[in-house]
Amino acid sequence: MMQRLFLLPLFAITLHAELQVRTDFEGGNAEVVTLDQSTRTLRIMPALREGRGWPCWWSFKLEGLTVGETFTLEVQAQSKPYREGTVLAAAWCQPKCAWLSLDGETWRPSSPGTLSAEKVMRYSLKAEGAQMSLAWGPPFVPADAEKLLAGIAAKLPEAKRFELARTHGGRPVQGIRIGAENAPHQVWVGSRQHAWEAGGSQVGRGFIQWYASDEAKALRANTCLYFIPIMDVDNAAIGAGGKEAVPRDHNRDWADEPIYPEVAAAQRMIRDIHTKHGLDVFIDLHNPGASDPIFFFGPFAFERMAGVQQRNYQRWIEIAAASIVEPLKVEPKYRFATYVKTDEERARMSSGWVRAHTGDATISVTLETGWNSPLMSVDGYGKIGAGLGRTLAAYIKENPRRE
Ligand SMILES: [Zn+2]
């Protein structure tokens, strides 16, 4: 009897170490619902970050795996409301494929999960290491932004890094300026007003890497670019969704008195750029749709526009359709964010605010990528970003300020 008691647990340990979930890193988020060590089945839901928007993003490290063993990850919706009376639909946290990494750097999609009638997504996975990183999508956290900007600054001596603002959480919001301040053309590209939309920053990375390449030499010579890889740094750092945060999220904060210091700072800089030199292009990068393709949101008034303004928006979408072709083509026509119902709310979105505070020759658009596809890998998003760069180069080459 004594012997059996002693041997059983030892036998179990030899077979499998205990699975352990870790989220103590930037962007980490997972609330363990159940963890069955014997069947190697882990169920999580995105942890609720009170008042900080949609609980849809998850990212964690799983330790105690035995190489070669199969295990099951189940993902369900967060059961508590993220805003008064509103529970987020499960689909937002259930990508077709989970994203896996051994080193936290290289990410690949798992084979597709299966959705049960109870709205639980089940991914059957194979352990490739004793520890694996698992996430909703390829993550992009403030440390990635730092690394990206440091790399660009090292490559381009003329680039100048700047701190846009300090967040309420005391974190720096980093940016980079490439080109002379008084260059003939002025461009602003920003991303991640919605923290969960990590693909927006992945597109941004592809864009800025293209912008720093030899192919962009001519564009760099006559353009001043301002680039912000992550706007909502606080929520990206803690793995919160950000969207529909209380009382409002970053992309509803472009009011006369913004809540977020980084939004206020962006407004000040954009006003200043436009007053001194004229702003040519403003692009905000988003990554919202489960089943959507790649498209631009254009100005609500597009059909009623005339003259230079109409011409420039039209040229932009035509050039984009010819330039953003991988891994999927961008839609050749604008969509309009008609789900935003009031003029007051529309004016508080970044693209609307920029339109209202710049000139007829300025275009202000958002690029929206879908996330629920294995094509939306780091490489896939990067290609979209490079396509965006080529769009910008061809557009600026035509001189949008011409009469
Ligand atoms: Zn968004």
Side-chain angles (χ1 to χ4, degrees):
M1 192 63 203
M2 284 292 287
Q3 205 174 22
R4 274 179 68 194
L5 273 175
F6 177 70
L7 280 176
L8 263 176
L10 187 70
F11 181 63
I13 289 163
T14 312
L15 257 185
H16 282 310
E18 288 247 305
L19 291 176
Q20 284 189 0
V21 174
R22 275 189 47 207
T23 56
D24 57 343
F25 55 90
E26 263 193 332
N29 179 318
E31 182 174 338
V32 175
V33 180
T34 53
L35 174 51
D36 185 331
Q37 299 286 355
S38 59
T39 62
R40 309 298 265 179
T41 302
L42 166 67
R43 182 179 299 194
I44 63 145
M45 56 187 178
L48 190 67
R49 310 278 194 241
E50 208 81 37
R52 290 178 167 276
W54 288 13
C56 52
W57 171 261
W58 47 269
S59 174
F60 64 93
K61 293 187 172 106
L62 190 58
E63 296 178 342
L65 292 162
T66 307
V67 176
E69 72 164 313
T70 52
F71 63 100
T72 305
L73 169 64
E74 300 179 339
V75 180
Q76 68 167 59
Q78 168 58 248
S79 47
K80 291 198 235 41
Y82 68 96
R83 273 188 101 115
E84 222 180 297
T86 314
V87 171
L88 188 68
W92 295 105
C93 69
Q94 296 172 327
K96 267 183 213 129
C97 308
W99 288 77
L100 313 172
S101 176
L102 282 178
D103 57 8
E105 299 265 329
T106 315
W107 292 86
R108 63 169 188 80
S110 71
S111 46
T114 49
L115 191 61
S116 76
E118 299 77 39
K119 293 190 177 167
V120 175
M121 186 67 105
R122 271 189 194 90
Y123 308 95
S124 180
L125 306 170
K126 193 164 205 166
E128 293 161 18
Q131 175 187 294
M132 287 175 78
S133 296
L134 299 95
W136 174 94
F140 190 101
V141 295
D144 296 311
E146 171 60 35
K147 198 172 148 192
L148 175 63
L149 295 184
I152 299 293
K155 190 172 178 191
L156 300 176
E158 72 271 30
K160 192 177 179 321
R161 295 189 59 179
F162 63 91
E163 186 177 300
L164 178 67
R166 287 261 156 177
T167 64
H168 284 310
R171 298 180 179 91
V173 179
Q174 308 276 10
I176 196 164
R177 193 193 83 213
I178 303 174
E181 267 180 291
N182 61 354
H185 295 288
Q186 305 277 326
V187 175
W188 183 285
V189 177
S191 146
R192 290 293 273 297
Q193 296 212 76
H194 294 136
W196 69 287
E197 296 172 21
S201 289
Q202 300 285 3
V203 172
R205 170 158 51 196
F207 167 77
I208 200 71
Q209 285 175 339
W210 181 87
Y211 198 91
S213 74
D214 284 349
E215 201 184 331
K217 245 182 186 164
L219 175 62
R220 286 202 304 276
N222 68 351
T223 302
C224 183
L225 168 76
Y226 297 81
F227 173 74
I228 313 288
I230 302 178
M231 279 290 281
D232 186 359
V233 170
D234 278 349
N235 283 330
I238 63 167
K243 191 171 172 93
E244 293 191 40
V246 178
R248 62 192 184 197
D249 66 43
H250 281 60
N251 203 28
R252 296 294 182 279
D253 192 39
W254 291 61
D256 290 341
E257 286 178 21
I259 293 165
Y260 303 105
E262 50 275 24
V263 172
Q267 288 179 332
R268 273 196 305 276
M269 276 186 75
I270 289 167
R271 267 185 207 273
D272 193 50
I273 293 162
H274 186 68
T275 306
K276 286 184 182 152
H277 311 291
L279 182 68
D280 291 283
V281 178
F282 172 88
I283 304 165
D284 201 14
L285 301 173
H286 289 258
N287 179 222
S291 55
D292 279 330
I294 307 165
F295 66 95
F296 283 94
F297 274 135
F300 293 106
F302 181 58
E303 300 296 331
R304 302 190 297 279
M305 281 177 176
V308 168
Q309 199 175 39
Q310 201 275 340
R311 178 200 69 197
N312 282 355
Y313 277 106
Q314 185 59 36
R315 282 305 292 148
W316 177 266
I317 197 72
E318 285 167 6
I319 296 169
S323 308
I324 303 176
V325 291
E326 283 186 296
L328 292 167
K329 288 182 177 176
V330 75
E331 287 196 344
K333 288 192 167 157
Y334 288 115
R335 289 193 189 187
F336 306 97
T338 46
Y339 63 91
V340 183
K341 292 299 175 200
T342 68
D343 286 340
E344 191 275 332
E345 188 179 354
R346 289 175 178 190
R348 281 190 283 112
M349 297 162 79
S350 62
S351 54
W353 185 92
V354 171
R355 277 174 213 129
H357 292 83
T358 52
D360 273 0
T362 311
I363 63 161
S364 170
V365 295
T366 70
L367 174 57
E368 314 273 335
T369 40
W371 49 266
N372 203 6
S373 160
L375 291 175
M376 295 300 152
S377 60
V378 171
D379 185 55
Y381 285 125
K383 284 179 172 151
I384 298 168
L388 180 66
R390 293 187 183 106
T391 305
L392 184 65
Y395 177 80
I396 293 292
K397 198 177 172 195
E398 288 184 354
N399 183 17
R401 301 186 189 199
R402 73 191 183 279
E403 282 303 312

